[in-house]
Amino acid sequence: MSYKGARYDVIVVGAGNAALCAALSARDHGARVAVLEKAPPSEQGGNCPFTGGGFRFTHDGIRDLRALAPSISEAEAERIRMGPYTAEDFRKHLTTVTKGETAGHLMETIIAESRPTVEWMTSKGVEWELGAKRAGGDRPPSTIPNAVGLSAKGSGAGLVRMLTRAARQAGIDILYETKMERLLCGDGGAVRGVEASDADGTHELEAGGVALACGGFEANASMRAEHMGANWSGAKVRGSRHNTGDGHRAAVAIGASVAGCWEDCHCTPIDARAPATGELAVVNAMPRRAYPLGITVNLDGRRFTDEGAGFAEQTFVDMGRQIMRQRNGAAFQIFDDRAAAHIEERYGSSEPVRAGSIAELAGELGIDANTLEETVRAFNATSHDGEYDPLTLDGRETRALEPPKSNWAIRIDRPPFTAYRVTCGITYTYGGLAIDAGARVLGEDGNPIRGLYAAGEIVGGVFRHNSLRAAGLMHGAVFGRIGGANAAGCGAG
């Protein structure tokens, strides 16, 4: 290979959003940079291609966004109402979803550097479009959410293409199908490069700084079982099959400190027949989030959680966890004819089971009919008559039922009855490496490990309990840019 014996100033492990931002930033500071990508070119980018490419950052409203996205015409801006998204908004939203358990130094860095980082990405050739669709067609005015200001054109896959093009134009070497095996350390424990393997064997690559941006460990069944529990070994993976915790293991092996909640993850209910790992062509069709409009039962025919605790956008992560705790990590979502008109279109990719009675449905699902009939009877006895309004928390709750249903507790008594087989799909893990605000990986003594940096999903401490839409790509880009610059300072010259 052309890189045998080469010495780089900075080596970046991974080739997604965070990694390419780190590489470009290091190159900005004069470093000779190599990017190691375990995947072939067709699977480059970790989980980034599986995202919508949204970025959450501070801005002053629609006209401010036009400076970053010229594709938003003056006429369109006239028709849109979008308020500013402030630092306080960002802070409130992140602390709310994490129940205050987000690392404060990381949160403040993400917020402060979010807008400058988006501007910097724009200078690298990233093109943007509005992150939310307008409601109301061409009728003025149209109010759209302000939290996710912009999305990369072409979604996550487009973002990877644009950043890769920028990296090539900058003279950065991207080495595909090249896996980091371990970190190399010199005197005093400073990182001096990596050992990497490819089709030709194993090689040592020296560098002054190494930035780990190779994702979480969600695609590693043994690591899921070790850190999250035995049930999680069988979870389906919604994203890249290549995110197997290589960076976690390599860093911990040289004394890196860990952070965040290693037993938790971002996940969602998905179709039971979804692929074992992510496939771009179908990933967006697999989530099953209409559960607030019915009941969810396990393989024994019993309810096990509050399906109406909130809107699905607020509760799907917890619902995914609850399903994974059931036998075989499996469940059934059951609806009657009242709910039929409100089921998401993407359920059309499922194979529904329909029946004229609950007993008949139980037989089709392989559930004891008496148990499922009793579950539905108990639910109906404490529920309400009425029609669903999916856009409103209607307060129709069960009375004296365990578990309760806090909203949309409407009787399931109108045949035909329909069931969908679901399981849990894991998106990414929350646990990772401890870093400081300069993206330096910290050792067990709390001090930075010289020459080692991290960005993206490998970083622990940002999310817990839940994630925040479009904040993942944002924090990956922020710490990628910071880490790349600091790695270059360590290795360039």
Side-chain angles (χ1 to χ4, degrees):
M1 296 289 291
S2 61
Y3 66 81
K4 287 180 182 177
R7 189 188 190 282
Y8 291 93
D9 299 312
V10 174
I11 291 173
V12 179
V13 183
N17 168 61
L20 292 170
C21 285
L24 286 164
S25 181
R27 189 74 190 99
D28 280 352
H29 289 78
R32 184 184 180 196
V33 183
V35 171
L36 309 189
E37 171 58 284
K38 181 169 67 172
S42 62
E43 299 178 35
Q44 175 188 344
N47 280 347
C48 186
F50 295 88
T51 73
F55 278 72
R56 182 179 294 254
F57 61 96
T58 59
H59 62 80
D60 290 330
I62 186 64
R63 295 199 170 277
D64 184 29
L65 295 180
R66 285 198 69 213
L68 298 168
S71 61
I72 304 171
S73 68
E74 176 64 26
E76 189 171 18
E78 286 288 340
R79 293 195 298 268
I80 292 174
R81 286 179 180 170
M82 177 195 280
Y85 190 67
T86 67
E88 185 52 38
D89 292 333
F90 203 154
R91 189 175 296 110
K92 177 183 177 181
H93 293 159
L94 185 53
T95 54
T96 297
V97 298
T98 61
K99 301 181 182 179
E101 296 182 52
T102 185
H105 67 294
L106 302 183
M107 175 178 69
E108 295 303 330
T109 302
I110 295 164
I111 294 170
E113 294 299 323
S114 62
R115 174 58 182 263
T117 298
V118 170
E119 292 175 349
W120 172 80
M121 294 175 74
T122 304
S123 76
K124 297 301 177 188
V126 174
E127 298 180 58
W128 308 99
E129 57 193 6
L130 282 175
K133 294 180 179 179
R134 292 187 295 111
D138 291 331
R139 297 192 309 257
S142 179
T143 300
I144 64 175
N146 62 350
V148 184
L150 296 172
S151 294
K153 280 192 175 179
S155 299
L159 177 61
V160 171
R161 286 193 297 270
M162 289 184 282
L163 290 173
T164 299
R165 181 172 63 243
R168 293 191 185 285
Q169 290 172 346
I172 294 168
D173 292 338
I174 303 178
L175 312 177
Y176 291 102
E177 297 180 89
T178 302
K179 178 186 177 184
M180 177 196 64
E181 299 291 349
R182 65 186 181 94
L183 293 165
L184 304 175
C185 295
D187 295 338
V191 171
R192 63 175 181 84
V194 304
E195 181 181 273
S197 62
D198 62 13
D200 293 335
T202 301
H203 321 280
E204 289 191 358
L205 288 172
E206 297 212 356
V210 174
L212 300 176
C214 43
F217 61 85
E218 62 275 358
N220 187 318
S222 62
M223 286 187 73
R224 293 198 307 268
E226 177 184 358
H227 298 291
M228 302 171 65
N231 271 11
W232 285 94
S233 65
K236 292 179 182 284
V237 178
R238 300 184 64 222
S240 173
R241 65 188 177 96
H242 299 288
N243 284 10
T244 55
D246 299 346
H248 296 66
R249 296 192 304 277
V252 168
I254 66 165
S257 181
V258 299
C261 189
W262 282 59
E263 63 269 22
D264 202 1
C265 68
H266 182 281
C267 58
T268 185
I270 62 171
D271 188 271
R273 298 175 69 248
T277 57
E279 294 182 8
L280 286 174
V282 299
V283 64
N284 290 328
M286 290 297 105
R288 298 291 176 259
R289 297 176 186 167
Y291 57 83
L293 307 182
I295 61 172
T296 301
V297 302
N298 57 24
L299 299 186
D300 299 318
R302 304 185 188 281
R303 293 178 61 246
F304 52 87
T305 193
D306 183 351
E307 304 94 340
F311 294 113
E313 291 76 12
Q314 302 164 328
T315 64
F316 69 79
V317 172
D318 187 62
M319 177 60 84
R321 290 192 202 104
Q322 296 293 339
I323 291 171
M324 207 63 225
R325 291 171 184 155
Q326 306 308 304
R327 179 161 58 93
N328 295 346
F332 301 101
Q333 296 174 352
I334 296 177
F335 308 96
D336 74 354
D337 195 51
R338 299 187 211 225
H342 305 291
I343 303 298
E344 296 176 293
E345 288 184 8
R346 58 187 170 186
Y347 274 64
S349 62
S350 286
E351 290 187 358
V353 176
R354 293 192 174 90
S357 70
I358 294 297
E360 181 186 349
L361 187 70
E364 293 290 332
L365 298 176
I367 296 175
D368 178 75
N370 291 332
T371 301
L372 186 58
E373 284 183 311
E374 178 53 35
T375 294
V376 175
R377 259 196 308 269
F379 177 78
N380 287 346
T382 63
S383 296
H384 306 260
D385 195 17
E387 300 299 325
Y388 291 106
D389 181 359
L391 300 181
T392 302
L393 293 174
D394 63 8
R396 286 173 167 151
E397 60 183 351
T398 56
R399 301 174 296 276
L401 185 67
E402 185 57 39
K405 188 173 183 186
S406 301
N407 291 280
W408 305 292
I410 294 173
R411 295 184 192 113
I412 298 174
D413 59 3
R414 237 181 243 182
F417 303 99
T418 303
Y420 295 90
R421 295 180 172 90
V422 295
T423 185
C424 173
I426 181 170
T427 315
Y428 53 86
T429 45
Y430 294 157
L433 306 180
I435 64 169
D436 65 11
R440 303 172 184 88
V441 175
L442 303 179
E444 293 172 343
D445 60 0
N447 294 316
I449 297 174
R450 186 180 169 198
L452 187 60
Y453 306 84
E457 291 173 12
I458 194 173
V459 172
V462 178
F463 297 130
R464 185 160 189 166
H465 302 295
N466 207 334
S467 64
L468 187 62
R469 180 173 174 245
L473 288 178
M474 191 70 258
H475 86 69
V478 163
F479 287 112
R481 184 186 180 206
I482 293 171
N486 286 334
C490 177

